[in-house]
Amino acid sequence: MLLEQERRDVCLTARSIARHPGTAPGEAGTISVRSGDLVVVTPHGIPLEQLGPGDCPVMSLDDRVLEGRRDPAAEATLHLAVHRDAAEHGRDVGAVVNAFTADTVAVSTVLVELPPIHHRAAGLGGAVAVTPYAPYGTGNISDQAVKALKGRDAALLAGHGGLALGRNLEHALENLRLLDWLSGTYLRARQVGEPRVLSEEELAEIRHRDTYGWAGPDPFL
């Protein structure tokens, strides 16, 4: 079986997403992991918690299905577009994760951008763009997602939910959970008042500090 370990990893990630509080039931998202010029994607028509390795199609970067007992999910076009763009621009992207969580969907229907109100937003690139609405599985939403991810590790797809990249599936899932947490935090803050947004200078300082250990830059140097 082609990319057997990658297919198993996709299934484990799928179960993790399905168990996450606030995730939509059933087909609650899509996952892909890249190995060279091959990409494992989640299939159409199966709830995430029920996936088996053989269900997950293996595709080439040029959209050909090479193996798998089920058809790819419609969002496979989006995943492949993101992987192709990453390969073209030399980005270290090994996995893409998309999930329909209550908080990311809610934010995506209201905002045109999720502002950085917490320093952890710097890890995703700062403010998170929200794409214009487009039907899933179309070239339009794929193009919009690629555009929104320029210089970012996450995006919000209007009316769909969150999308995150990573070096591997573990990293992509971590970024997705961070995006979900930032969305929920923003929604809670808005119930109290207008959240304070971090400036680009403050985000730059955070990125600089993140390159050091627990104490930050040595004050004696």
Side-chain angles (χ1 to χ4, degrees), residues 34-46:
R34 179 185 165 205
S35 178
D37 292 333
L38 302 182
V39 180
V40 177
V41 299
T42 40
H44 168 72
I46 305 182

Side-chain angles (χ1 to χ4, degrees), residues 2 34 45 52 71 89 96-97 134 136 142 167 178 204 207 212:
L2 277 175
R34 179 185 165 205
D71 291 333
H89 292 92
V96 179
V97 181
Y136 69 89
S142 301
R167 297 180 300 274
L178 175 56
R207 295 186 190 102
Y212 293 86

Side-chain angles (χ1 to χ4, degrees), residues 26-91:
E27 293 182 71
T30 51
I31 303 158
S32 66
V33 59
R34 179 185 165 205
S35 178
D37 292 333
L38 302 182
V39 180
V40 177
V41 299
T42 40
H44 168 72
I46 305 182
L48 293 181
E49 67 272 15
Q50 296 177 18
L51 285 185
D55 295 318
C56 300
V58 177
M59 302 183 68
S60 63
L61 282 175
D62 60 358
D63 297 326
R64 290 178 295 122
V65 178
L66 305 178
E67 192 173 284
R69 60 175 172 245
R70 292 187 178 271
D71 291 333
E75 291 90 342
T77 56
L78 183 156
H79 286 256
L80 289 169
V82 173
H83 282 293
R84 283 194 297 267
D85 183 76
E88 181 181 344
H89 292 92
R91 294 191 67 183

